[in-house]
Amino acid sequence: MYQDIIENERIVYSYDMHIGDKRISVSLATIELTPEGSGTRFKLTEQGAYLDEFDDPSQRRRGTEDLLDALGASLTGAPVNA
């Protein structure tokens, strides 16, 4: 769910993750966009509550890094590292 959007500056959203009917985490994330040289700096901050040891920050970080790598590859036309 989007909580706040300021065009070209910030997106704040929250979400929860499930395995079947079991909620495993709840997160609040903020994306900040700032001009930098000829491009844009992308800063992601995420706060998470990891429930009943089904998820943890290291797993979430790895998943987020993989998604951001795929986004970067898509934007630049580079191959995605698998």
Side-chain angles (χ1 to χ4, degrees):
M1 174 187 293
Y2 293 105
Q3 304 295 335
D4 184 56
I5 298 176
I6 298 176
E7 187 173 347
N8 299 319
E9 288 184 31
R10 179 178 65 226
I11 301 170
V12 180
Y13 60 97
S14 59
Y15 66 97
D16 55 356
M17 294 182 69
H18 295 80
I19 295 177
D21 292 335
K22 178 119 178 113
R23 182 182 295 164
I24 63 169
S25 66
V26 179
S27 295
L28 175 67
T30 303
I31 296 171
E32 297 172 86
L33 306 167
T34 53
E36 186 171 283
S38 62
T40 301
R41 175 177 287 276
F42 177 104
K43 179 181 177 184
L44 172 64
T45 304
E46 183 171 339
Q47 299 168 308
Y50 305 98
L51 310 172
D52 300 326
E53 300 180 17
F54 284 99
D55 197 2
D56 65 54
S58 65
Q59 291 175 322
R60 184 64 55 83
R61 181 179 182 139
R62 177 67 184 163
T64 299
E65 287 172 347
D66 289 347
L67 289 170
L68 292 175
D69 287 346
L71 173 62
S74 175
L75 293 172
T76 63
V80 177
N81 294 331

